[in-house]
Amino acid sequence: EENRGKGFVLYEDPTNPEHLFTRSEWIESMVRIANYYNLSKTMSEKFKKVLDLCLKKHTRIVKDDKTREFMKKESTKKVYGPYLERVYSIFERFAHMDKTMGSSRYMQIEEYWNFISTMAIGTLGIIRRNINQALAYSQARSLEDDRGYITDYPEYLELLARLAFACHPEDSKEEALKKFLDYIIEKAVKLEMIEELEEDDD
């Protein structure tokens, strides 16, 4: 009687007094739905099929977003090539800023905004929405990875490209990326975060 009107409840959970439909319960419900999908398939195959159908129907797709493909191009790798060592130093510097947040292999969302503020990215004419989208769209999401908005180094490289395109929409993607990388490295040198790279005499 005491559960009447509360909807479907798996058990009385003192940490969930409002009996909200939790993430773990949602995953279990998807497994149960998948179990009825096709009896000729294995459970993992059925679960994957149901998830694929749900994601295709209900998730928001970023239309005409070519950035992932751009990141795979050889011309992109050539743009990044001369900068990679210093770009990684910048990433590592900001990922180290909040040592209470865990591994420095990841840039937390607070550290991302610290990066945006410290590097004065807003002075390049980019709007806040583009800054948020650069972070969100660069995330390599996984159903097994409930880490929220934290950015590893490959995602950081994609994030920089997205920021670059928003800051320099009139340029080609390669030129926009080069301009943006020049800017953040020059800024990092001025702030004494990294040392200026000496020119090769050869």
Side-chain angles (χ1 to χ4, degrees), residues 85-87 89-90 93 185-186 188-198:
E85 184 176 345
R86 289 173 291 171
V87 167
S89 295
I90 295 171
R93 180 69 177 264
I185 287 170
E186 181 180 353
V189 169
K190 287 181 179 178
L191 294 172
E192 299 182 347
M193 290 186 166
I194 61 174
E195 294 182 2
E196 190 167 7
L197 191 66
E198 294 182 3

Side-chain angles (χ1 to χ4, degrees), residues 121-187:
I121 302 299
T123 64
L124 299 178
I126 189 173
I127 62 176
R128 188 180 181 89
R129 183 180 65 185
N130 292 142
I131 295 173
N132 286 328
Q133 287 177 343
L135 175 64
Y137 294 166
S138 64
Q139 299 287 301
R141 290 174 176 78
S142 168
L143 291 174
E144 298 176 352
D145 189 355
D146 189 24
R147 60 190 178 133
Y149 283 146
I150 64 175
T151 301
D152 60 24
Y153 184 59
E155 290 170 339
Y156 177 69
L157 294 179
E158 181 179 326
L159 184 156
L160 293 181
R162 293 179 184 277
L163 291 173
F165 304 157
C167 290
H168 304 289
E170 71 285 354
D171 294 312
S172 68
K173 291 185 183 306
E174 287 81 3
E175 186 61 30
L177 180 56
K178 185 178 185 305
K179 283 184 178 180
F180 188 78
L181 294 176
D182 282 335
Y183 169 80
I184 65 168
I185 287 170
E186 181 180 353
K187 191 76 173 176

Side-chain angles (χ1 to χ4, degrees), residues 9 16 24 36 42 53 63 72-73 98 110 116 121 161-162 167 173 187 189:
V9 180
N16 186 17
S24 60
Y36 291 98
T42 66
L53 289 172
K63 294 182 179 180
K72 299 175 184 177
K73 292 169 62 177
D98 189 347
E110 294 86 355
I116 294 295
I121 302 299
R162 293 179 184 277
C167 290
K173 291 185 183 306
K187 191 76 173 176
V189 169

Side-chain angles (χ1 to χ4, degrees), residues 21-139:
F21 193 42
T22 65
R23 183 175 184 271
S24 60
E25 291 169 344
W26 180 81
I27 292 293
E28 180 177 337
S29 72
M30 295 297 289
V31 172
R32 292 178 182 275
I33 291 170
N35 194 41
Y36 291 98
Y37 181 71
N38 189 330
L39 297 180
S40 66
K41 294 181 178 292
T42 66
M43 190 63 235
S44 60
E45 290 173 330
K46 289 187 284 188
F47 187 46
K48 182 180 184 303
K49 182 67 174 179
V50 169
L51 287 179
D52 286 343
L53 289 172
C54 288
L55 290 171
K56 183 177 180 180
K57 183 175 181 179
H58 298 292
T59 55
R60 188 170 75 89
I61 304 299
V62 183
K63 294 182 179 180
D64 302 321
D65 183 23
K66 305 294 185 181
T67 306
R68 287 277 162 87
E69 291 303 315
F70 171 79
M71 296 301 294
K72 299 175 184 177
K73 292 169 62 177
E74 287 300 320
S75 58
T76 306
K77 296 175 184 177
K78 288 180 179 179
V79 173
Y80 270 115
Y83 299 93
L84 281 179
E85 184 176 345
R86 289 173 291 171
V87 167
Y88 182 74
S89 295
I90 295 171
F91 170 80
E92 193 175 40
R93 180 69 177 264
F94 281 96
H96 271 102
M97 281 189 166
D98 189 347
K99 295 184 175 59
T100 66
M101 297 296 288
S103 174
S104 61
R105 293 180 299 135
Y106 299 108
M107 182 182 287
Q108 308 288 338
I109 189 168
E110 294 86 355
E111 294 165 337
Y112 170 64
W113 280 104
N114 197 343
F115 164 78
I116 294 295
S117 174
T118 303
M119 301 304 237
I121 302 299
T123 64
L124 299 178
I126 189 173
I127 62 176
R128 188 180 181 89
R129 183 180 65 185
N130 292 142
I131 295 173
N132 286 328
Q133 287 177 343
L135 175 64
Y137 294 166
S138 64
Q139 299 287 301

